[in-house]
Amino acid sequence: DIQMTQSPSSVSASVGDRVTITCRASQGISSWLAWYQQKAGKAPKLLIYTASSLQSGVPSRFSGSGSGTDFTLTISSLQPEDFATYYCQQANSFPLTFGGGTKVEIK
Amino acid sequence: QLHLQESGPGLVKPSETLSLTCTVSGGSISSNNFYWGWIRQPPGKGLEWIGSFYYSGNTYYNPSLKSRVTMSVDTSKNQFSLKMSSVTAADTAVYYCANQGSAAAFFDYWGQGILVTISS
């Protein structure tokens, strides 16, 4: 199985801050990576797919980059509605696996 | 736009079989070459993929659950189902159904989730 490791596990930030979350795969996954946002009590929401493609309707302050084993999700200017937990997911091979999550909290 | 809704019992006894159904609206399970999947999330923990399938064939299960999981589809009702046998407290989780598009890769549309508690 491909292990997905996210860092940090939590981050405290203020509105307007730039936030970067990293995800590392235990082996190369090309660009088969997605990022999801999950708010408390809600289902995850797809933000980014194939590492850098923005899902329709997702604000442009979200961006993704990387390929191979190292990936990043960047929120260019944090907004109040962005406080949530973020997960990465690899789709290079079965079983599909998720990172452990990064909680973005209010500073 | 696709809408998915999970249904089933919220409480299951240990050693019994968990059975959930996902009802799809806004599109047909058997069209558009879509894959469909199940994911779960224990309370306060991360996401775990359970399995994915294509309505007319290919089915993929998480090896860690494969011996206990069966997924099926009822195209006449536009529903698909999950059965997990011999459940324990470790199977307590919110269970989500989701659509994966044509590549069985990423989860585009999700149901709201259903909490299933395993307890006597």
Side-chain angles (χ1 to χ4, degrees):
Chain A
D1 299 5
I2 298 176
Q3 307 302 318
M4 306 301 294
T5 304
Q6 284 184 238
S7 61
S9 56
S10 66
V11 57
S12 295
S14 301
V15 172
D17 284 353
R18 182 182 183 90
V19 173
T20 299
I21 300 167
T22 64
C23 181
R24 175 165 289 176
S26 61
Q27 63 190 74
I29 59 170
S30 185
S31 295
W32 289 103
L33 184 103
W35 290 98
Y36 299 86
Q37 176 193 67
Q38 186 179 34
K39 296 182 179 179
K42 301 294 186 182
K45 172 187 175 183
L46 179 64
L47 299 177
I48 302 283
Y49 61 97
T50 53
S52 60
S53 299
L54 195 66
Q55 176 72 342
S56 176
V58 174
S60 58
R61 63 181 179 273
F62 290 93
S63 64
S65 65
S67 67
T69 60
D70 294 309
F71 301 85
T72 61
L73 172 70
T74 299
I75 310 171
S76 60
S77 178
L78 199 65
Q79 298 302 299
E81 61 268 29
D82 301 336
F83 292 96
T85 300
Y86 294 83
Y87 293 93
C88 60
Q89 177 234 325
Q90 68 82 19
N92 182 75
S93 62
F94 292 109
L96 306 180
T97 49
F98 292 86
T102 296
K103 187 172 185 179
V104 177
E105 300 175 299
I106 301 172
K107 196 172 199 178
Chain B
Q1 182 167 334
L2 287 175
H3 179 74
L4 294 84
Q5 178 74 56
E6 304 87 352
S7 60
L11 180 65
V12 179
K13 291 182 168 55
S15 80
E16 295 190 345
T17 296
L18 177 161
S19 296
L20 297 175
T21 298
C22 181
T23 300
V24 178
S25 57
S28 172
I29 281 180
S30 55
S31 67
N32 300 109
N33 298 319
F34 285 161
Y35 278 78
W36 306 87
W38 290 94
I39 305 99
R40 71 179 183 177
Q41 184 172 37
K45 296 188 178 181
L47 300 162
E48 179 182 31
W49 173 71
I50 299 172
S52 301
F53 75 96
Y54 182 67
Y55 82 97
S56 66
N58 299 343
T59 302
Y60 305 94
Y61 294 119
N62 191 323
S64 67
L65 299 169
K66 186 176 182 178
S67 64
R68 300 192 292 126
V69 168
T70 303
M71 295 186 297
S72 59
V73 60
D74 185 338
T75 54
S76 67
K77 295 181 179 179
N78 220 33
Q79 295 176 333
F80 60 99
S81 299
L82 171 72
K83 290 188 185 299
M84 182 180 294
S85 63
S86 305
V87 298
T88 70
D91 296 310
T92 294
V94 175
Y95 286 75
Y96 296 101
C97 60
N99 170 265
Q100 289 182 259
S102 59
F106 309 118
F107 301 97
D108 306 56
Y109 295 95
W110 296 64
Q112 66 183 28
I114 183 169
L115 173 62
V116 180
T117 301
I118 311 301
S119 175
S120 55

